Amino acid sequence: AQSVTQLDSQVPVFEEAPVELRCNYSSSVSVYLFWYVQYPNQGLQLLLKYLSGSTLVKGINGFEAEFNKSQTSFHLRKPSVHISDTAEYFCAVTRTTGGYQKVTFGTGTKLQVIP
Amino acid sequence: EAGVTQSPTHLIKTRGQQATLRCSPISGHTSVYWYQQALGLGLQFLLWYDEGEERNRGNFPPRFSGRQFPNYSSELNVNALELEDSALYLCASSPCEAGREQYFGPGTRLTVT
């Protein structure tokens, strides 16, 4: 079975402060990992992805995430947030086995940046 | 390059009616995914189409169905609408390579009264 856990449903943080949004996954096979952002009344937009290689992945808007295989985590970080980062963030896991693809999204974390 | 488009933007139906939602993927993408995003329930996977075939479906009743056309556009049909079907329905497309990211459309807001 494959699952994605985003432990924090809401994260308030002051502007210019650092933030970490947590994502843990469980899967018995190799996976691909993604973070998406959803601004109000919009669809989801890809922030960054891990397919293979370096475990530190840099994305758009100054975000980065680190794949930790031993802890099965893929936490999202930003050293200094802006008001415009206020949005909902989704972690997602994809695994492909014999041509069968399964995508699982986490329940989302709402980031609220406080001026 | 045009992104994923969905129509209509908003749809208002009454209980028991049928709703049809449409999605056009990015050119060259063969896979289309449908998700339901209801308030407080996160993103729930509905259906995955690839090369015209239904490859996988989520834990939804059979009144949720769809199809993918030869040009890879897709249609989601919801029959016998219930109040709890009110949600944002998101479509996403991806290229055929395994594990590639999904590109989302802006969604269709379905309201069932």
Side-chain angles (χ1 to χ4, degrees):
Chain A
Q2 177 176 292
S3 67
V4 179
T5 303
Q6 291 183 247
L7 288 168
D8 306 303
S9 59
Q10 293 191 53
V11 173
V13 62
F14 285 103
E15 194 174 12
E16 297 184 6
V19 70
E20 178 180 84
L21 306 183
R22 296 180 292 169
C23 174
N24 288 87
Y25 69 94
S26 67
S27 176
S28 57
V29 298
S30 296
V31 296
Y32 304 107
L33 298 156
F34 306 85
W35 275 100
Y36 292 86
V37 60
Q38 186 179 30
Y39 298 103
N41 300 314
Q42 294 185 26
L44 277 69
Q45 176 185 0
L46 180 71
L47 264 182
L48 48 78
K49 61 185 177 184
Y50 173 79
L51 304 180
S52 65
S54 173
T55 57
L56 183 62
V57 180
K58 293 191 182 299
I60 62 171
N61 301 339
F63 284 93
E64 64 180 32
E66 186 157 19
F67 170 56
N68 187 318
K69 189 174 182 179
S70 62
Q71 297 186 3
T72 59
S73 68
F74 191 55
H75 300 333
L76 181 70
R77 301 184 183 100
K78 186 170 183 178
S80 175
V81 295
H82 301 130
I83 292 290
S84 59
D85 293 324
T86 295
E88 189 159 18
Y89 293 79
F90 292 90
C91 180
V93 169
T94 300
R95 66 175 170 88
T96 302
T97 306
Y100 172 83
Q101 182 172 244
K102 182 175 174 62
V103 180
T104 306
F105 279 82
T107 51
T109 298
K110 290 183 179 175
L111 174 63
Q112 183 186 3
V113 180
I114 305 163
Chain B
E1 179 185 270
V4 176
T5 60
Q6 292 186 246
S7 63
T9 306
H10 294 90
L11 191 57
I12 300 174
K13 294 284 187 178
T14 56
R15 243 170 54 179
Q17 285 188 316
Q18 180 201 33
T20 299
L21 289 63
R22 296 180 178 83
C23 171
S24 292
I26 290 172
S27 177
H29 287 189
T30 61
S31 278
V32 169
Y33 307 81
W34 287 97
Y35 296 90
Q36 183 195 66
Q37 189 176 30
L39 209 58
L41 294 180
L43 208 62
Q44 304 292 322
F45 168 71
L46 265 167
L47 290 159
W48 169 34
Y49 291 96
D50 184 60
E51 297 282 0
E53 300 284 332
E54 181 181 303
R55 301 295 186 185
N56 194 17
R57 67 179 291 131
N59 190 25
F60 281 84
R63 57 191 187 81
F64 286 85
S65 65
R67 53 181 171 165
Q68 187 178 34
F69 299 100
N71 65 354
Y72 303 118
S73 67
S74 178
E75 200 172 83
L76 173 69
N77 294 294
V78 188
N79 293 319
L81 284 165
E82 300 178 3
L83 294 177
E84 52 264 35
D85 295 334
S86 295
L88 181 68
Y89 289 83
L90 292 167
C91 170
S93 72
S94 73
C96 61
E97 297 94 342
R100 294 303 183 252
E101 64 269 23
Q102 298 182 18
Y103 296 81
F104 283 81
T108 293
R109 174 74 61 185
L110 173 63
T111 302
V112 183
T113 62

